[in-house]
Amino acid sequence: MLYLKERSFARWFVTIASLVIVGLFLWNVSIFFERIKEEEKNKMEIWVNAFTEVSTPNSGTSLSNNVIEIFSSNTTTPMLVYSVGDNSYNSRNIEEDKVNTLEKKLALIEEFKKQYQPIEIKDDNETINIVYYGYSDTLKRLTYFPAFVIFIIILFLSIIYYFHITSKSEEQSLLWAGMAKETAHQIGTPLSSLVGWIEILKSEDINPDYVQEIQKDINRLQTITDRFSKIGSVPNLTPTNLVQATLETSQYLQIRTSKLVQFDVDLPNHSIFVNLNEQLFSWTIENLVKNAIDAMKGKGMLKIEMREDAQWVLLYISDTGKGIPKSDFKKIFKPGFTTKKRGWGLGLSLVKRIIETYHKGKVRVLKSELNQGTCFEIKLKKIKS
């Protein structure tokens, strides 16, 4: 518990620290932006004063070199100078194709107004020119810079999160595999003793039917032990008649299920071969069937049907239970996810692992409606018999 609290504190600390760093960075960028903007505004005011002297020089007065230098030095700030007298526009530091029509000039003026207040040039309190100007290329780049930095930060955090989730998923897989193997080991010891006791019972004057039923349960325990021992290792796949394997598993489950659950098994009359580990496949069907029975609260219709196309065998397991919300279609296959009060959330995660990791197939919720039922689809690749 202490370890979990420490990890939670570390996550919150990193998150808050990251937000503070990003906030400080954006705040400094904002201050830097405003300073450059103010400097460009001051530079434009000096330029306007020089422009005023150039455009309306006093009679007989020559322009100083400083005025001419100031007037010609501004090569970065885009501007449009509107002459009131002849209703004309003169552009500076703007590409020609952006001001080659009156509509483009007016649109550019509206954009400039949002960036800076226009400067009026007056002569005897009468406006003769209006200077519209906007952000320089440097200021425009700085405008997008915070967004670019935030994008990089989000990308970086996403990569870290992805590796964290991947490593965590790998740790979970190793944990489940270790637990499965340990379970198989623990079951194996008493199981060996039970096999010995069966041989003793056979020699006693006991009803053979009783011994046969006990033997069936021992065989079942041996099958379960073998299943658990295969989790975490690569199982052997052999060409198997999927129709026969599905039929045997469904018959076994039907005998041991309440009569309130009606089985409808619809399988082809001919053999269909796939590369299969029969024990793990049987476990898959068992998990899906038991989930379906739980969803129906032990009463309803359970249908198992098989279809095929040129490349795939499609197995459908449907129930008339409570259904699954669409938002949970993918969550139900994650280890630990369960809606049962006493569930471990391992059944469907094992189904996914067996079908997709070991058999290179696909499993999904084909459809589900609340209080109407759910249909799972399993896809396995066919092989030539």
Side-chain angles (χ1 to χ4, degrees), residues 261-317:
V261 177
Q262 301 178 31
F263 277 72
D264 180 6
V265 181
D266 181 11
L267 303 175
N269 295 322
H270 59 279
S271 299
I272 304 175
F273 284 85
V274 298
N275 284 319
L276 197 73
N277 183 288
E278 195 167 347
Q279 289 180 339
L280 292 181
F281 174 74
S282 176
W283 196 4
T284 296
I285 301 301
E286 186 176 323
N287 276 325
L288 290 175
V289 168
K290 286 183 176 179
N291 272 3
I293 294 171
D294 288 342
M296 297 186 295
K297 297 182 179 179
K299 182 180 179 181
M301 172 69 71
L302 194 148
K303 186 172 185 178
I304 301 175
E305 56 182 326
M306 188 180 295
R307 299 289 180 264
E308 63 177 318
D309 58 26
Q311 293 184 325
W312 298 91
V313 188
L314 306 174
L315 182 64
Y316 303 102
I317 299 177

Side-chain angles (χ1 to χ4, degrees), residues 25-267:
F25 174 80
L26 294 177
W27 179 62
N28 279 279
V29 169
S30 176
I31 292 175
F32 186 54
F33 176 84
E34 290 299 326
R35 284 182 180 176
I36 294 179
K37 184 177 179 181
E38 188 64 27
E39 287 178 3
E40 290 204 349
K41 180 181 178 183
N42 293 336
K43 185 172 69 173
M44 274 303 300
E45 289 176 351
I46 294 172
W47 184 91
V48 167
N49 290 331
F51 175 77
T52 303
E53 290 192 34
V54 171
S55 59
T56 58
N58 293 326
S59 177
T61 304
S62 61
L63 297 174
S64 67
N65 291 333
N66 288 337
V67 171
I68 296 174
E69 185 176 350
I70 291 171
F71 179 74
S72 59
S73 63
N74 192 332
T75 59
T76 58
T77 307
M79 63 186 82
L80 274 169
V81 181
Y82 173 64
S83 179
V84 177
D86 55 7
N87 192 28
S88 63
Y89 295 90
N90 181 31
S91 64
R92 287 179 62 88
N93 306 324
I94 303 175
E95 296 176 4
E96 181 63 29
D97 59 345
K98 293 182 179 180
V99 289
N100 54 7
T101 64
L102 180 60
E103 290 75 12
K104 291 182 179 180
K105 292 175 182 176
L106 295 177
L108 201 57
I109 285 173
E110 291 303 317
E111 181 182 339
F112 286 167
K113 284 181 179 180
K114 296 176 183 178
Q115 298 170 1
Y116 289 106
Q117 182 70 28
I119 301 175
E120 295 184 0
I121 300 174
K122 296 184 178 182
D123 185 20
D124 293 332
N125 294 325
E126 183 180 352
T127 301
I128 57 173
N129 292 299
I130 303 176
V131 180
Y132 302 96
Y133 64 105
Y135 295 159
S136 64
D137 288 340
T138 302
L139 208 54
K140 285 181 180 177
R141 291 192 185 98
L142 195 59
T143 304
Y144 298 113
F145 185 67
F148 175 74
V149 172
I150 291 174
F151 171 76
I152 295 297
I153 292 172
I154 292 174
L155 182 62
F156 178 71
L157 293 177
S158 299
I159 293 172
I160 292 177
Y161 179 75
Y162 171 76
F163 281 109
H164 170 72
I165 293 299
T166 304
S167 62
K168 187 176 180 181
S169 177
E170 184 65 24
E171 288 175 3
Q172 287 179 341
S173 296
L174 292 173
L175 176 62
W176 300 136
M179 290 177 62
K181 288 183 179 295
E182 180 62 22
T183 301
H185 176 72
Q186 293 295 334
I187 294 175
T189 303
L191 192 58
S192 300
S193 298
L194 287 173
V195 172
W197 281 107
I198 280 290
E199 295 303 319
I200 294 174
L201 290 175
K202 286 179 180 178
S203 63
E204 300 291 333
D205 187 18
I206 295 177
N207 189 332
D209 291 338
Y210 297 162
V211 177
Q212 185 177 2
E213 288 303 315
I214 295 173
Q215 182 66 56
K216 287 181 181 179
D217 288 331
I218 289 176
N219 292 339
R220 185 63 179 172
L221 282 172
Q222 288 175 330
T223 299
I224 292 170
T225 303
D226 193 39
R227 287 174 178 174
F228 276 102
S229 67
K230 285 180 169 61
I231 296 298
S233 57
V234 180
N236 293 323
L237 306 182
T238 57
T240 304
N241 181 2
L242 189 64
V243 176
Q244 185 63 31
T246 304
L247 181 62
E248 290 176 0
T249 301
S250 62
Q251 287 176 342
Y252 173 85
L253 294 171
Q254 189 170 358
I255 293 171
R256 287 159 177 78
T257 302
S258 167
K259 300 300 180 183
L260 296 175
V261 177
Q262 301 178 31
F263 277 72
D264 180 6
V265 181
D266 181 11
L267 303 175

